[in-house]
Amino acid sequence: MEQDPNPVAVLTELEHQLAAAWVAADRPFIEGLLAPEWTVTDPSGQVLTRQEVLDEAFITSDRKITTMAIDDLRIRLFGDAAVVTGRTRASGTYRGSAGSAVLRFTDVFVRVGTRWQVVASQGTIVPP
């Protein structure tokens, strides 16, 4: 199996592409990056499945993300796995009410063949 020439650069780019995909509502990209068994622990501590997140994002019109930027990325490689931590600044609407949030996140990636997929995520709100 051919390894990524620079997995840190690849994972950095994937994180930025994922943020852009949530804003653009690019379901095919998001579905391709999130492994079928992916779950996220949201800021309230609730664990959501991939299907639950996709349904909320694409079937209902309750939530609309209008901006999302990530920074402060730290990537730790463990062979065919990686832990990515960073900060997200996002704004949008929920059921017509505008809001914004800053979150610290952790994404766990595994390399499947020649591509990386996210298998677990967690987000914590950073108080203003």
Side-chain angles (χ1 to χ4, degrees):
M1 169 179 23
E2 185 178 322
Q3 300 295 311
D4 295 328
N6 184 347
V8 170
V10 170
L11 291 165
T12 298
E13 181 61 24
L14 286 172
E15 287 286 6
H16 286 285
Q17 289 175 338
L18 181 59
W22 284 116
V23 173
D26 183 350
R27 186 174 185 152
F29 180 84
I30 294 166
E31 285 182 333
L33 190 60
L34 302 181
E37 65 275 15
W38 176 81
T39 59
V40 60
T41 304
D42 74 8
S44 72
Q46 183 178 4
V47 178
L48 302 170
T49 66
R50 177 180 183 261
Q51 193 61 54
E52 288 170 329
V53 171
L54 292 173
D55 286 351
E56 182 188 42
F58 298 107
I59 292 177
T60 74
S61 58
D62 287 351
R63 185 181 314 272
K64 171 69 177 142
I65 300 169
T66 54
T67 66
M68 182 179 284
I70 61 168
D71 64 8
D72 201 19
L73 289 178
R74 181 171 178 217
I75 298 169
R76 290 168 283 172
L77 298 170
F78 302 95
D80 285 336
V83 175
V84 180
T85 58
R87 178 175 48 207
T88 300
R89 298 172 194 271
S91 62
T93 59
Y94 183 72
R95 296 185 177 165
S97 296
S100 63
V102 178
L103 294 101
R104 286 286 179 180
F105 69 87
T106 301
D107 285 335
V108 179
F109 283 82
V110 295
R111 191 178 357 233
V112 179
T114 59
R115 62 184 250 224
W116 291 94
Q117 285 193 301
V118 186
V119 294
S121 299
Q122 184 272 330
T124 302
I125 292 179
V126 177

Short mmCIF file of all heavy atoms in Angstrom, two decimals, residues 39-107:
data_model
loop_
_atom_site.label_atom_id
_atom_site.label_comp_id
_atom_site.label_asym_id
_atom_site.label_seq_id
_atom_site.Cartn_x
_atom_site.Cartn_y
_atom_site.Cartn_z
N THR A 39 -19.43 8.35 14.84
CA THR A 39 -20.32 8.99 15.81
C THR A 39 -19.67 10.28 16.27
O THR A 39 -18.45 10.46 16.16
CB THR A 39 -20.57 8.10 17.05
OG1 THR A 39 -19.32 7.81 17.69
CG2 THR A 39 -21.29 6.82 16.69
N VAL A 40 -20.51 11.18 16.78
CA VAL A 40 -20.01 12.42 17.35
C VAL A 40 -20.63 12.59 18.73
O VAL A 40 -21.82 12.32 18.91
CB VAL A 40 -20.31 13.63 16.45
CG1 VAL A 40 -21.80 13.83 16.22
CG2 VAL A 40 -19.68 14.91 17.01
N THR A 41 -19.80 13.00 19.66
CA THR A 41 -20.30 13.40 20.98
C THR A 41 -20.44 14.90 20.94
O THR A 41 -19.45 15.62 20.77
CB THR A 41 -19.34 12.97 22.10
OG1 THR A 41 -19.13 11.56 22.00
CG2 THR A 41 -19.90 13.32 23.46
N ASP A 42 -21.69 15.38 21.02
CA ASP A 42 -21.93 16.81 20.87
C ASP A 42 -21.67 17.54 22.19
O ASP A 42 -21.40 16.91 23.21
CB ASP A 42 -23.33 17.07 20.29
CG ASP A 42 -24.48 16.86 21.26
OD1 ASP A 42 -24.25 16.64 22.47
OD2 ASP A 42 -25.63 16.93 20.80
N PRO A 43 -21.74 18.87 22.17
CA PRO A 43 -21.42 19.64 23.38
C PRO A 43 -22.28 19.31 24.60
O PRO A 43 -21.86 19.51 25.73
CB PRO A 43 -21.60 21.09 22.95
CG PRO A 43 -21.30 21.08 21.49
CD PRO A 43 -21.88 19.77 21.01
N SER A 44 -23.49 18.76 24.37
CA SER A 44 -24.34 18.40 25.51
C SER A 44 -24.01 17.02 26.07
O SER A 44 -24.58 16.61 27.07
CB SER A 44 -25.82 18.43 25.09
OG SER A 44 -26.11 17.31 24.25
N GLY A 45 -23.10 16.30 25.40
CA GLY A 45 -22.74 14.96 25.83
C GLY A 45 -23.51 13.87 25.12
O GLY A 45 -23.27 12.69 25.36
N GLN A 46 -24.41 14.25 24.24
CA GLN A 46 -25.21 13.27 23.49
C GLN A 46 -24.35 12.67 22.38
O GLN A 46 -23.62 13.38 21.70
CB GLN A 46 -26.44 13.94 22.90
CG GLN A 46 -27.36 13.00 22.16
CD GLN A 46 -28.61 13.71 21.63
OE1 GLN A 46 -28.76 14.92 21.75
NE2 GLN A 46 -29.49 12.94 21.06
N VAL A 47 -24.44 11.36 22.19
CA VAL A 47 -23.73 10.68 21.11
C VAL A 47 -24.70 10.51 19.94
O VAL A 47 -25.77 9.92 20.09
CB VAL A 47 -23.19 9.31 21.57
CG1 VAL A 47 -22.49 8.60 20.42
CG2 VAL A 47 -22.24 9.48 22.75
N LEU A 48 -24.31 11.07 18.80
CA LEU A 48 -25.14 11.02 17.60
C LEU A 48 -24.47 10.14 16.55
O LEU A 48 -23.24 10.19 16.37
CB LEU A 48 -25.34 12.42 17.02
CG LEU A 48 -25.98 13.44 17.96
CD1 LEU A 48 -25.90 14.83 17.35
CD2 LEU A 48 -27.40 13.06 18.25
N THR A 49 -25.27 9.37 15.82
CA THR A 49 -24.74 8.54 14.75
C THR A 49 -24.58 9.37 13.48
O THR A 49 -25.12 10.48 13.35
CB THR A 49 -25.68 7.37 14.43
OG1 THR A 49 -26.90 7.89 13.88
CG2 THR A 49 -25.96 6.52 15.67
N ARG A 50 -23.87 8.81 12.54
CA ARG A 50 -23.69 9.46 11.24
C ARG A 50 -25.06 9.74 10.61
O ARG A 50 -25.30 10.83 10.11
CB ARG A 50 -22.86 8.53 10.35
CG ARG A 50 -22.63 9.01 8.93
CD ARG A 50 -21.77 7.94 8.23
NE ARG A 50 -21.42 8.30 6.89
CZ ARG A 50 -22.04 7.85 5.79
NH1 ARG A 50 -23.08 7.04 5.91
NH2 ARG A 50 -21.63 8.21 4.61
N GLN A 51 -25.94 8.76 10.65
CA GLN A 51 -27.26 8.94 10.03
C GLN A 51 -28.05 10.05 10.70
O GLN A 51 -28.72 10.84 10.02
CB GLN A 51 -28.05 7.63 10.03
CG GLN A 51 -29.27 7.68 9.14
CD GLN A 51 -28.89 7.94 7.68
OE1 GLN A 51 -28.08 7.22 7.11
NE2 GLN A 51 -29.48 8.97 7.07
N GLU A 52 -28.00 10.12 12.02
CA GLU A 52 -28.73 11.17 12.73
C GLU A 52 -28.22 12.56 12.33
O GLU A 52 -29.01 13.48 12.11
CB GLU A 52 -28.60 10.98 14.25
CG GLU A 52 -29.39 9.81 14.77
CD GLU A 52 -29.07 9.47 16.22
OE1 GLU A 52 -27.92 9.67 16.67
OE2 GLU A 52 -29.99 8.98 16.90
N VAL A 53 -26.91 12.71 12.22
CA VAL A 53 -26.33 14.01 11.84
C VAL A 53 -26.68 14.34 10.40
O VAL A 53 -27.07 15.47 10.09
CB VAL A 53 -24.80 14.01 12.07
CG1 VAL A 53 -24.16 15.25 11.48
CG2 VAL A 53 -24.50 13.89 13.56
N LEU A 54 -26.56 13.36 9.51
CA LEU A 54 -26.90 13.61 8.11
C LEU A 54 -28.38 13.96 7.94
O LEU A 54 -28.72 14.85 7.16
CB LEU A 54 -26.53 12.40 7.25
CG LEU A 54 -25.03 12.12 7.10
CD1 LEU A 54 -24.81 10.81 6.37
CD2 LEU A 54 -24.30 13.27 6.43
N ASP A 55 -29.25 13.27 8.66
CA ASP A 55 -30.68 13.58 8.58
C ASP A 55 -30.94 15.01 9.03
O ASP A 55 -31.68 15.75 8.37
CB ASP A 55 -31.49 12.61 9.44
CG ASP A 55 -31.60 11.22 8.82
OD1 ASP A 55 -31.19 11.03 7.66
OD2 ASP A 55 -32.09 10.31 9.54
N GLU A 56 -30.35 15.41 10.15
CA GLU A 56 -30.57 16.77 10.63
C GLU A 56 -30.01 17.81 9.66
O GLU A 56 -30.61 18.84 9.42
CB GLU A 56 -29.95 16.98 12.01
CG GLU A 56 -30.23 18.38 12.52
CD GLU A 56 -29.50 18.74 13.80
OE1 GLU A 56 -28.32 18.41 13.93
OE2 GLU A 56 -30.15 19.37 14.65
N ALA A 57 -28.86 17.50 9.09
CA ALA A 57 -28.20 18.47 8.20
C ALA A 57 -28.88 18.58 6.84
O ALA A 57 -28.91 19.66 6.25
CB ALA A 57 -26.74 18.10 8.02
N PHE A 58 -29.42 17.47 6.34
CA PHE A 58 -29.88 17.47 4.95
C PHE A 58 -31.36 17.19 4.75
O PHE A 58 -31.88 17.47 3.68
CB PHE A 58 -29.04 16.49 4.12
CG PHE A 58 -27.59 16.87 4.08
CD1 PHE A 58 -26.65 16.15 4.78
CD2 PHE A 58 -27.18 17.98 3.37
CE1 PHE A 58 -25.31 16.51 4.76
CE2 PHE A 58 -25.85 18.36 3.34
CZ PHE A 58 -24.91 17.62 4.03
N ILE A 59 -32.04 16.63 5.73
CA ILE A 59 -33.46 16.34 5.55
C ILE A 59 -34.32 17.46 6.13
O ILE A 59 -35.30 17.87 5.53
CB ILE A 59 -33.82 14.96 6.13
CG1 ILE A 59 -33.15 13.88 5.29
CG2 ILE A 59 -35.33 14.77 6.16
CD1 ILE A 59 -33.37 12.47 5.79
N THR A 60 -33.93 17.96 7.29
CA THR A 60 -34.68 19.08 7.87
C THR A 60 -34.01 20.39 7.46
O THR A 60 -32.86 20.41 7.05
CB THR A 60 -34.73 19.01 9.42
OG1 THR A 60 -33.45 19.38 9.93
CG2 THR A 60 -35.12 17.63 9.90
N SER A 61 -34.73 21.47 7.60
CA SER A 61 -34.13 22.78 7.32
C SER A 61 -33.94 23.57 8.62
O SER A 61 -33.80 24.78 8.60
CB SER A 61 -35.01 23.57 6.34
OG SER A 61 -36.31 23.72 6.88
N ASP A 62 -33.93 22.84 9.75
CA ASP A 62 -33.78 23.49 11.05
C ASP A 62 -32.45 24.23 11.19
O ASP A 62 -32.39 25.33 11.72
CB ASP A 62 -33.89 22.47 12.19
CG ASP A 62 -35.29 21.96 12.40
OD1 ASP A 62 -36.23 22.52 11.79
OD2 ASP A 62 -35.46 21.01 13.17
N ARG A 63 -31.37 23.59 10.74
CA ARG A 63 -30.03 24.13 10.96
C ARG A 63 -29.39 24.51 9.62
O ARG A 63 -29.39 23.72 8.69
CB ARG A 63 -29.16 23.09 11.65
CG ARG A 63 -27.78 23.57 12.03
CD ARG A 63 -26.96 22.47 12.70
NE ARG A 63 -27.67 21.75 13.73
CZ ARG A 63 -27.75 22.09 15.01
NH1 ARG A 63 -27.17 23.20 15.43
NH2 ARG A 63 -28.41 21.35 15.87
N LYS A 64 -28.85 25.71 9.55
CA LYS A 64 -28.12 26.16 8.36
C LYS A 64 -26.81 26.78 8.83
O LYS A 64 -26.81 27.76 9.58
CB LYS A 64 -28.95 27.18 7.57
CG LYS A 64 -28.20 27.86 6.44
CD LYS A 64 -27.89 26.90 5.32
CE LYS A 64 -27.21 27.65 4.18
NZ LYS A 64 -26.17 26.92 3.54
N ILE A 65 -25.70 26.20 8.41
CA ILE A 65 -24.38 26.74 8.74
C ILE A 65 -24.00 27.71 7.63
O ILE A 65 -23.98 27.35 6.45
CB ILE A 65 -23.34 25.61 8.86
CG1 ILE A 65 -23.75 24.63 9.96
CG2 ILE A 65 -21.96 26.19 9.12
CD1 ILE A 65 -22.94 23.36 9.99
N THR A 66 -23.72 28.95 8.00
CA THR A 66 -23.38 29.97 7.00
C THR A 66 -21.89 30.26 6.93
O THR A 66 -21.39 30.64 5.87
CB THR A 66 -24.15 31.28 7.25
OG1 THR A 66 -23.92 31.71 8.59
CG2 THR A 66 -25.65 31.06 7.04
N THR A 67 -21.18 30.10 8.03
CA THR A 67 -19.72 30.24 8.02
C THR A 67 -19.12 29.19 8.95
O THR A 67 -19.72 28.83 9.96
CB THR A 67 -19.24 31.63 8.50
OG1 THR A 67 -19.57 31.79 9.87
CG2 THR A 67 -19.86 32.75 7.68
N MET A 68 -17.95 28.71 8.57
CA MET A 68 -17.22 27.78 9.44
C MET A 68 -15.75 27.89 9.07
O MET A 68 -15.38 27.75 7.91
CB MET A 68 -17.70 26.35 9.26
CG MET A 68 -16.99 25.36 10.20
SD MET A 68 -17.58 23.65 10.03
CE MET A 68 -19.14 23.75 10.89
N ALA A 69 -14.94 28.15 10.08
CA ALA A 69 -13.50 28.21 9.88
C ALA A 69 -12.83 27.44 11.00
O ALA A 69 -13.30 27.45 12.14
CB ALA A 69 -13.02 29.66 9.89
N ILE A 70 -11.75 26.75 10.66
CA ILE A 70 -11.02 26.01 11.67
C ILE A 70 -9.59 26.52 11.75
O ILE A 70 -9.05 27.03 10.77
CB ILE A 70 -11.04 24.48 11.40
CG1 ILE A 70 -10.39 24.17 10.06
CG2 ILE A 70 -12.44 23.93 11.48
CD1 ILE A 70 -10.11 22.70 9.85
N ASP A 71 -9.03 26.40 12.94
CA ASP A 71 -7.63 26.78 13.12
C ASP A 71 -7.08 26.02 14.33
O ASP A 71 -7.76 25.16 14.89
CB ASP A 71 -7.46 28.29 13.27
CG ASP A 71 -8.14 28.87 14.51
OD1 ASP A 71 -8.63 28.12 15.37
OD2 ASP A 71 -8.17 30.10 14.62
N ASP A 72 -5.86 26.34 14.68
CA ASP A 72 -5.19 25.75 15.83
C ASP A 72 -5.18 24.22 15.74
O ASP A 72 -5.39 23.52 16.74
CB ASP A 72 -5.87 26.23 17.13
CG ASP A 72 -4.96 26.09 18.34
OD1 ASP A 72 -3.73 25.97 18.15
OD2 ASP A 72 -5.47 26.06 19.47
N LEU A 73 -4.93 23.70 14.53
CA LEU A 73 -4.92 22.26 14.33
C LEU A 73 -3.66 21.63 14.91
O LEU A 73 -2.56 22.18 14.78
CB LEU A 73 -4.99 21.91 12.85
CG LEU A 73 -6.31 22.16 12.14
CD1 LEU A 73 -6.19 21.81 10.66
CD2 LEU A 73 -7.43 21.37 12.77
N ARG A 74 -3.83 20.49 15.52
CA ARG A 74 -2.73 19.66 15.99
C ARG A 74 -3.03 18.25 15.53
O ARG A 74 -4.12 17.72 15.80
CB ARG A 74 -2.60 19.72 17.50
CG ARG A 74 -1.45 18.88 18.00
CD ARG A 74 -1.17 19.08 19.47
NE ARG A 74 -0.08 18.18 19.84
CZ ARG A 74 0.00 17.55 21.00
NH1 ARG A 74 -0.92 17.74 21.92
NH2 ARG A 74 1.01 16.75 21.25
N ILE A 75 -2.09 17.66 14.83
CA ILE A 75 -2.30 16.32 14.25
C ILE A 75 -1.26 15.38 14.82
O ILE A 75 -0.06 15.64 14.73
CB ILE A 75 -2.22 16.38 12.71
CG1 ILE A 75 -3.33 17.30 12.19
CG2 ILE A 75 -2.31 14.98 12.12
CD1 ILE A 75 -3.22 17.66 10.74
N ARG A 76 -1.74 14.29 15.41
CA ARG A 76 -0.86 13.25 15.95
C ARG A 76 -1.11 11.96 15.19
O ARG A 76 -2.25 11.49 15.13
CB ARG A 76 -1.10 13.07 17.44
CG ARG A 76 -0.61 14.29 18.24
CD ARG A 76 -1.08 14.29 19.64
NE ARG A 76 -2.49 14.72 19.61
CZ ARG A 76 -3.30 14.69 20.65
NH1 ARG A 76 -2.89 14.24 21.80
NH2 ARG A 76 -4.54 15.10 20.54
N LEU A 77 -0.06 11.42 14.60
CA LEU A 77 -0.15 10.22 13.79
C LEU A 77 0.20 8.98 14.60
O LEU A 77 1.14 9.01 15.40
CB LEU A 77 0.78 10.32 12.58
CG LEU A 77 0.49 11.46 11.61
CD1 LEU A 77 1.62 11.61 10.62
CD2 LEU A 77 -0.83 11.21 10.89
N PHE A 78 -0.56 7.90 14.35
CA PHE A 78 -0.33 6.62 15.00
C PHE A 78 -0.48 5.54 13.93
O PHE A 78 -1.48 4.82 13.91
CB PHE A 78 -1.33 6.40 16.14
CG PHE A 78 -1.30 7.48 17.19
CD1 PHE A 78 -2.18 8.56 17.11
CD2 PHE A 78 -0.37 7.45 18.21
CE1 PHE A 78 -2.15 9.56 18.06
CE2 PHE A 78 -0.33 8.45 19.16
CZ PHE A 78 -1.21 9.52 19.09
N GLY A 79 0.47 5.45 13.02
CA GLY A 79 0.38 4.48 11.93
C GLY A 79 -0.78 4.83 11.01
O GLY A 79 -0.79 5.89 10.40
N ASP A 80 -1.75 3.93 10.94
CA ASP A 80 -2.92 4.16 10.09
C ASP A 80 -4.06 4.84 10.83
O ASP A 80 -5.22 4.76 10.41
CB ASP A 80 -3.41 2.84 9.48
CG ASP A 80 -2.50 2.35 8.36
OD1 ASP A 80 -1.81 3.19 7.76
OD2 ASP A 80 -2.49 1.14 8.10
N ALA A 81 -3.75 5.51 11.92
CA ALA A 81 -4.73 6.30 12.67
C ALA A 81 -4.13 7.66 12.98
O ALA A 81 -2.91 7.83 12.99
CB ALA A 81 -5.11 5.59 13.97
N ALA A 82 -5.01 8.62 13.21
CA ALA A 82 -4.56 9.97 13.56
C ALA A 82 -5.61 10.63 14.44
O ALA A 82 -6.81 10.40 14.28
CB ALA A 82 -4.34 10.82 12.30
N VAL A 83 -5.14 11.44 15.37
CA VAL A 83 -6.02 12.24 16.21
C VAL A 83 -5.76 13.70 15.84
O VAL A 83 -4.63 14.17 15.90
CB VAL A 83 -5.73 12.00 17.71
CG1 VAL A 83 -6.59 12.93 18.57
CG2 VAL A 83 -5.98 10.54 18.06
N VAL A 84 -6.83 14.37 15.44
CA VAL A 84 -6.75 15.78 15.04
C VAL A 84 -7.56 16.60 16.04
O VAL A 84 -8.73 16.31 16.29
CB VAL A 84 -7.30 16.01 13.62
CG1 VAL A 84 -7.21 17.48 13.24
CG2 VAL A 84 -6.56 15.13 12.61
N THR A 85 -6.92 17.60 16.62
CA THR A 85 -7.63 18.53 17.49
C THR A 85 -7.53 19.92 16.89
O THR A 85 -6.60 20.23 16.15
CB THR A 85 -7.05 18.53 18.92
OG1 THR A 85 -5.66 18.86 18.86
CG2 THR A 85 -7.23 17.18 19.59
N GLY A 86 -8.52 20.75 17.20
CA GLY A 86 -8.50 22.10 16.67
C GLY A 86 -9.65 22.92 17.22
O GLY A 86 -10.34 22.51 18.16
N ARG A 87 -9.82 24.09 16.62
CA ARG A 87 -10.88 25.01 17.03
C ARG A 87 -11.73 25.34 15.80
O ARG A 87 -11.21 25.56 14.72
CB ARG A 87 -10.26 26.29 17.60
CG ARG A 87 -11.29 27.33 18.01
CD ARG A 87 -10.65 28.53 18.67
NE ARG A 87 -9.52 29.02 17.90
CZ ARG A 87 -8.49 29.67 18.42
NH1 ARG A 87 -8.45 29.93 19.71
NH2 ARG A 87 -7.51 30.08 17.66
N THR A 88 -13.04 25.35 16.00
CA THR A 88 -14.00 25.72 14.97
C THR A 88 -14.72 27.00 15.40
O THR A 88 -15.15 27.11 16.54
CB THR A 88 -15.07 24.62 14.78
OG1 THR A 88 -14.43 23.41 14.41
CG2 THR A 88 -16.08 25.00 13.72
N ARG A 89 -14.84 27.93 14.45
CA ARG A 89 -15.66 29.13 14.66
C ARG A 89 -16.75 29.05 13.59
O ARG A 89 -16.44 29.04 12.40
CB ARG A 89 -14.84 30.39 14.49
CG ARG A 89 -13.71 30.52 15.49
CD ARG A 89 -12.81 31.71 15.14
NE ARG A 89 -11.57 31.66 15.88
CZ ARG A 89 -11.38 32.20 17.07
NH1 ARG A 89 -12.37 32.83 17.67
NH2 ARG A 89 -10.21 32.12 17.67
N ALA A 90 -18.00 28.96 14.04
CA ALA A 90 -19.10 28.77 13.10
C ALA A 90 -20.24 29.72 13.42
O ALA A 90 -20.43 30.14 14.56
CB ALA A 90 -19.61 27.33 13.16
N SER A 91 -21.00 30.06 12.38
CA SER A 91 -22.21 30.84 12.57
C SER A 91 -23.27 30.28 11.63
O SER A 91 -22.98 29.60 10.66
CB SER A 91 -21.98 32.33 12.30
OG SER A 91 -21.58 32.52 10.96
N GLY A 92 -24.52 30.60 11.97
CA GLY A 92 -25.61 30.12 11.16
C GLY A 92 -26.93 30.40 11.83
O GLY A 92 -27.04 31.28 12.69
N THR A 93 -27.93 29.60 11.44
CA THR A 93 -29.25 29.75 12.04
C THR A 93 -29.76 28.38 12.49
O THR A 93 -29.41 27.36 11.90
CB THR A 93 -30.27 30.36 11.04
OG1 THR A 93 -30.35 29.50 9.89
CG2 THR A 93 -29.86 31.76 10.62
N TYR A 94 -30.59 28.40 13.51
CA TYR A 94 -31.28 27.21 13.97
C TYR A 94 -32.73 27.60 14.18
O TYR A 94 -33.04 28.46 15.01
CB TYR A 94 -30.67 26.66 15.27
CG TYR A 94 -31.32 25.38 15.71
CD1 TYR A 94 -31.10 24.19 15.00
CD2 TYR A 94 -32.18 25.35 16.79
CE1 TYR A 94 -31.70 23.02 15.39
CE2 TYR A 94 -32.80 24.17 17.18
CZ TYR A 94 -32.56 23.00 16.47
OH TYR A 94 -33.17 21.82 16.84
N ARG A 95 -33.59 26.99 13.37
CA ARG A 95 -35.03 27.30 13.39
C ARG A 95 -35.27 28.80 13.29
O ARG A 95 -36.11 29.36 14.00
CB ARG A 95 -35.69 26.69 14.62
CG ARG A 95 -35.63 25.17 14.60
CD ARG A 95 -36.38 24.57 15.75
NE ARG A 95 -36.35 23.12 15.63
CZ ARG A 95 -36.65 22.28 16.60
NH1 ARG A 95 -37.03 22.74 17.77
NH2 ARG A 95 -36.59 20.99 16.40
N GLY A 96 -34.50 29.45 12.42
CA GLY A 96 -34.69 30.87 12.13
C GLY A 96 -33.95 31.82 13.03
O GLY A 96 -33.90 33.02 12.75
N SER A 97 -33.35 31.34 14.11
CA SER A 97 -32.60 32.22 15.01
C SER A 97 -31.12 32.14 14.71
O SER A 97 -30.55 31.05 14.63
CB SER A 97 -32.82 31.80 16.47
OG SER A 97 -34.17 31.97 16.82
N ALA A 98 -30.51 33.32 14.54
CA ALA A 98 -29.08 33.38 14.22
C ALA A 98 -28.25 33.15 15.47
O ALA A 98 -28.66 33.49 16.59
CB ALA A 98 -28.74 34.73 13.61
N GLY A 99 -27.08 32.58 15.27
CA GLY A 99 -26.17 32.36 16.39
C GLY A 99 -24.78 32.03 15.88
O GLY A 99 -24.56 31.83 14.69
N SER A 100 -23.85 32.00 16.81
CA SER A 100 -22.48 31.61 16.47
C SER A 100 -21.91 30.86 17.66
O SER A 100 -22.41 30.95 18.78
CB SER A 100 -21.63 32.83 16.14
OG SER A 100 -21.53 33.68 17.26
N ALA A 101 -20.86 30.10 17.39
CA ALA A 101 -20.23 29.30 18.44
C ALA A 101 -18.76 29.09 18.12
O ALA A 101 -18.35 29.09 16.95
CB ALA A 101 -20.92 27.95 18.56
N VAL A 102 -18.00 28.92 19.17
CA VAL A 102 -16.61 28.51 19.07
C VAL A 102 -16.52 27.18 19.79
O VAL A 102 -16.99 27.04 20.92
CB VAL A 102 -15.65 29.55 19.71
CG1 VAL A 102 -14.21 29.07 19.64
CG2 VAL A 102 -15.81 30.91 19.04
N LEU A 103 -15.95 26.20 19.12
CA LEU A 103 -15.83 24.86 19.70
C LEU A 103 -14.39 24.37 19.59
O LEU A 103 -13.69 24.69 18.63
CB LEU A 103 -16.72 23.85 18.97
CG LEU A 103 -18.21 24.03 19.06
CD1 LEU A 103 -18.73 24.68 17.82
CD2 LEU A 103 -18.86 22.70 19.29
N ARG A 104 -13.99 23.57 20.56
CA ARG A 104 -12.78 22.77 20.45
C ARG A 104 -13.24 21.39 20.00
O ARG A 104 -14.25 20.88 20.49
CB ARG A 104 -12.07 22.66 21.80
CG ARG A 104 -11.37 23.92 22.21
CD ARG A 104 -10.12 24.09 21.39
NE ARG A 104 -9.42 25.31 21.74
CZ ARG A 104 -8.30 25.66 21.17
NH1 ARG A 104 -7.77 24.90 20.22
NH2 ARG A 104 -7.71 26.76 21.50
N PHE A 105 -12.52 20.81 19.04
CA PHE A 105 -12.96 19.51 18.53
C PHE A 105 -11.81 18.52 18.51
O PHE A 105 -10.63 18.89 18.50
CB PHE A 105 -13.56 19.64 17.13
CG PHE A 105 -12.57 19.99 16.05
CD1 PHE A 105 -11.85 19.00 15.40
CD2 PHE A 105 -12.35 21.30 15.68
CE1 PHE A 105 -10.93 19.31 14.41
CE2 PHE A 105 -11.45 21.64 14.69
CZ PHE A 105 -10.73 20.64 14.06
N THR A 106 -12.20 17.26 18.51
CA THR A 106 -11.29 16.15 18.30
C THR A 106 -11.91 15.26 17.23
O THR A 106 -13.08 14.90 17.32
CB THR A 106 -11.09 15.32 19.59
OG1 THR A 106 -10.57 16.17 20.60
CG2 THR A 106 -10.16 14.14 19.36
N ASP A 107 -11.14 14.96 16.20
CA ASP A 107 -11.55 14.01 15.16
C ASP A 107 -10.54 12.87 15.15
O ASP A 107 -9.33 13.10 15.15
CB ASP A 107 -11.56 14.66 13.77
CG ASP A 107 -12.74 15.58 13.56
OD1 ASP A 107 -13.78 15.41 14.22
OD2 ASP A 107 -12.63 16.49 12.71
#
